[in-house]
Amino acid sequence: MDLRAFPGGDLVARGLEDLRAGRRTVEALLVEIGAPRLRACGIEVPDGAGSPERALYALLEEEEPEGAHGRYNALVRRLVSFERALECASR
């Protein structure tokens, strides 16, 4: 299945690659947050290090302190959009 065909699929595809390579990137942490729903749709998600929500916010805060909150919310919205589209396609 081509994940990039769904909204936000580019983030999820990159996040899966990063998780498999052991990198703690914004995309990898986002995939860790969505892991339960992604797994329920049949996507193999490697186990992460835990507490992805806090780790993602901290990473965003390091990169851009003033915009961390807005960027965090935007990323989570893209993840949810991807999950919903994937769930619809899985039915």
Side-chain angles (χ1 to χ4, degrees), residues 36-72:
R37 285 179 79 178
L38 297 174
R39 287 183 182 122
C41 289
I43 296 176
E44 291 184 32
V45 179
D47 289 330
S51 300
E53 293 89 354
R54 289 183 183 197
L56 175 58
Y57 195 88
L59 183 59
L60 294 172
E61 203 168 36
E62 284 176 21
E63 292 177 359
E64 189 181 346
E66 297 297 318
H69 183 73
R71 189 164 170 218
Y72 178 90

Side-chain angles (χ1 to χ4, degrees), residues 3-49:
L3 302 180
R4 296 175 197 272
F6 298 99
D10 56 327
L11 289 173
V12 174
R14 262 183 280 147
L16 287 168
E17 291 172 15
D18 289 346
L19 267 179
R20 289 180 185 125
R23 294 185 293 265
R24 298 275 288 176
T25 63
V26 167
E27 293 85 358
L29 292 166
L30 193 63
V31 167
E32 280 189 62
I33 291 170
R37 285 179 79 178
L38 297 174
R39 287 183 182 122
C41 289
I43 296 176
E44 291 184 32
V45 179
D47 289 330

